[in-house]
Amino acid sequence: MLHAALDELREHGHTRLSIDAVARRSGVAKATIYRRWGDRDGLVLDVVAWFGAARATVPDTGRFEEDLRLWARSIAAMLADPTAAVLVRAVLATDPRSGHAVRQQFWRTRRDLVRPLVERARDRGEIPPGTDADEVIRHVGAPLYYRFLVLDEPVTPADADRAAAITALATHTALLTHPSP
């Protein structure tokens, strides 16, 4: 069913994705889809998680700056991939009220995937001990997603390198540490 839903998203986008079409394409009853996913947004979230997990690798070069650069470049590559681009846009197109959980789960999954990159650098002593991993992750991704989603511009490797370099600089100067109590 996830393959069928992905194909429907590719062809029609989130706004025209229908459970009927996914059911027809996958050869199952609509009730089966509703029972498993509850609604269209639940199905979209599972498609995104399934597709993203199969493609995501977190770099571990042993050097914080290089890991950030490679991660940022992987975001740029993902946003350049037509299928991944459709899925990212689908997550953000979910209903503002009911889709909040879908969007939060999408970002939580991405954050949890990348957090070890920051934790390893902290453990190696490359970055300040109080570095907030979530802030580092936000600062790498935010300019790339902004360019893609808000400005509707392509995200280039140079954009990714810039986001990683700025984030590394902010991290090394302790701008992204937890506030002192």
Side-chain angles (χ1 to χ4, degrees), residues 40-103:
R40 181 175 66 165
D41 288 346
L43 177 59
V44 167
L45 178 60
D46 262 11
V47 170
V48 170
W50 162 72
F51 185 83
R55 303 176 86 83
T57 57
V58 178
D60 187 6
T61 66
R63 295 186 352 261
F64 178 66
E65 289 85 359
E66 183 65 6
D67 287 349
L68 275 186
R69 187 181 75 77
L70 292 173
W71 176 251
R73 282 194 169 211
S74 77
I75 294 170
M78 176 196 60
L79 295 174
D81 175 85
T83 299
V86 164
L87 293 175
V88 169
R89 289 186 194 284
V91 166
L92 296 175
T94 56
D95 178 85
R97 292 174 308 260
S98 65
H100 177 76
V102 172
R103 288 185 299 282

Side-chain angles (χ1 to χ4, degrees), residues 8-167:
E8 285 294 317
L9 280 167
R10 278 187 193 127
E11 291 175 25
H12 305 291
H14 180 269
T15 56
R16 294 189 336 212
L17 175 74
S18 84
I19 297 296
D20 287 338
V22 173
R24 272 192 307 280
R25 192 180 280 246
S26 62
V28 301
K30 285 189 321 187
T32 302
I33 296 172
Y34 283 114
R35 206 172 24 258
R36 171 111 187 241
W37 286 283
D39 61 14
R40 181 175 66 165
D41 288 346
L43 177 59
V44 167
L45 178 60
D46 262 11
V47 170
V48 170
W50 162 72
F51 185 83
R55 303 176 86 83
T57 57
V58 178
D60 187 6
T61 66
R63 295 186 352 261
F64 178 66
E65 289 85 359
E66 183 65 6
D67 287 349
L68 275 186
R69 187 181 75 77
L70 292 173
W71 176 251
R73 282 194 169 211
S74 77
I75 294 170
M78 176 196 60
L79 295 174
D81 175 85
T83 299
V86 164
L87 293 175
V88 169
R89 289 186 194 284
V91 166
L92 296 175
T94 56
D95 178 85
R97 292 174 308 260
S98 65
H100 177 76
V102 172
R103 288 185 299 282
Q104 292 302 308
Q105 180 61 36
F106 173 76
W107 297 117
R108 192 173 23 259
T109 300
R110 304 300 288 170
R111 182 196 65 212
D112 292 348
L113 181 68
V114 184
R115 190 178 280 141
L117 181 155
V118 179
E119 291 168 348
R120 287 190 301 261
R122 211 173 31 215
D123 292 346
R124 291 189 302 261
E126 288 184 85
I127 59 177
T131 297
D132 184 335
D134 293 351
E135 283 301 310
V136 172
I137 294 162
R138 285 183 192 110
H139 280 78
V140 170
L144 306 177
Y145 285 102
Y146 178 82
R147 184 176 296 273
F148 176 75
L149 294 166
V150 176
L151 300 178
D152 198 24
E153 296 176 356
V155 179
T156 67
D159 298 324
D161 292 351
R162 185 178 315 106
I166 291 168
T167 303

